[in-house]
């Protein structure tokens, strides 16, 4: 992992070769890093994504998940999924390594989600909690199915919320 200093403006850049999914060798060049460490970290994360190494951070894996899944889904479905991922899942797991997230970590996250309240101060509904569980489970199931993650910690931790939706009650004259 070599990083080089740009003599003109003092910033750092990385330049390296990798093999893409077709087996073709490609060269990657990225510049504008403030420090050598930032440049090397970006190169390491890029190569992990290309190799689909599950020692990558959860946030990096979510980028792969987005690239894989977004074209398959309707726009409205994707907007809902992306909102939940960015607001409820990434703040807790973004810096954790995929392979190191355990069922205990998922249980802690679930308990944290149960404590949260909406704008009116009410706890989230069971249907919404179930939706949160479904989204994080989809991410880890994708990792198991396509990226050789050994175990899905979400299924081991168990579900959260319920499938049953509340009946809407309203009055008519």
């Amino acid at each position: 992992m070599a990083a080089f200093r740009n003599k003109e403006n003092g910033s750092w850049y990385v330049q390296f070769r990798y093999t893409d999914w077709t087996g073709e060798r490609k060269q990657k060049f990225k510049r504008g890093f403030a420090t050598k460490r930032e440049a090397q970290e970006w190169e390491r994360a890029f190569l992990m994504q290309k190799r689909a190494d599950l020692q990558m951070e959860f946030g990096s894996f979510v980028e792969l998940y987005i690239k894989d899944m977004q074209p398959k889904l309707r726009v409205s479905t994707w907007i809902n999924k992306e909102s939940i991922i960015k607001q409820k899942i990434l703040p807790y797991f973004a810096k954790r390594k995929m392979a190191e997230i355990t069922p205990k970590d998922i249980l802690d996250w679930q308990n944290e989600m149960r404590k949260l309240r909406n704008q009116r101060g009410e706890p989230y509904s069971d249907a919404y909690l179930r939706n949160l569980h479904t989204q994080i489970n989809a991410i880890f199931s994708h990792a198991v199915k396509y990226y050789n993650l050994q175990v899905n910690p979400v299924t081991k931790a168990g579900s959260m919320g319920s499938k049953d939706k509340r009946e809407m009650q309203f009055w008519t004259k």
Side-chain angles (χ1 to χ4, degrees):
M1 287 207 219
F4 307 98
R5 188 173 191 99
N6 186 341
K7 292 181 172 98
E8 294 173 12
N9 61 11
S11 66
W12 291 84
Y13 66 92
V14 290
Q15 182 175 2
F16 57 93
R17 295 185 190 281
Y18 68 97
T19 306
D20 70 356
W21 65 275
T22 62
E24 186 178 324
R25 298 246 329 142
K26 294 197 174 196
Q27 181 171 333
K28 187 72 175 171
F29 183 81
K30 175 102 170 133
R31 62 179 150 205
F33 298 102
T35 64
K36 182 177 182 178
R37 176 177 281 171
E38 276 182 34
Q40 290 174 330
E41 177 63 28
W42 185 88
E43 179 184 359
R44 187 181 63 75
F46 179 85
L47 291 173
M48 273 199 223
Q49 274 191 338
K50 288 299 174 188
R51 285 192 309 260
D53 183 1
L54 290 175
Q55 290 302 318
M56 74 175 86
E57 293 178 345
F58 183 82
S60 296
F61 183 78
V62 167
E63 290 174 19
L64 285 177
Y65 177 74
I66 288 169
K67 191 175 76 175
D68 291 345
M69 295 303 292
Q70 190 173 11
K72 295 180 180 182
L73 301 172
R74 291 184 313 205
V75 174
S76 60
T77 303
W78 179 252
I79 289 171
N80 184 31
K81 185 181 274 281
E82 184 179 38
S83 170
I84 289 173
I85 290 170
K86 287 184 177 177
Q87 294 176 8
K88 302 290 191 255
I89 299 172
L90 278 179
Y92 294 91
F93 296 111
K95 297 295 181 193
R96 302 283 310 272
K97 293 188 187 282
M98 274 297 288
E100 294 176 0
I101 296 175
T102 64
K104 174 67 173 117
D105 298 329
I106 300 298
L107 281 174
D108 292 341
W109 174 78
Q110 288 175 343
N111 290 333
E112 196 64 33
M113 291 297 108
R114 287 182 181 114
K115 289 179 191 174
L116 293 178
R117 302 286 184 244
N118 63 17
Q119 292 91 353
R120 292 175 291 198
E122 300 167 345
Y124 288 134
S125 70
D126 281 343
Y128 183 71
L129 292 174
R130 180 65 173 211
N131 193 2
L132 296 178
H133 173 79
T134 302
Q135 299 308 326
I136 195 167
N137 190 35
I139 294 170
F140 279 99
S141 294
H142 188 76
V144 168
K145 188 173 182 180
Y146 298 109
Y147 294 95
N148 298 323
L149 181 66
Q150 297 302 310
V151 178
N152 183 342
V154 180
T155 56
K156 279 192 158 193
S159 64
M160 168 175 70
S162 72
K163 292 181 192 175
D164 300 331
K165 295 187 174 158
R166 289 183 301 182
E167 183 178 315
M168 291 195 60
Q169 297 178 1
F170 55 91
W171 292 73
T172 60
K173 191 171 181 179

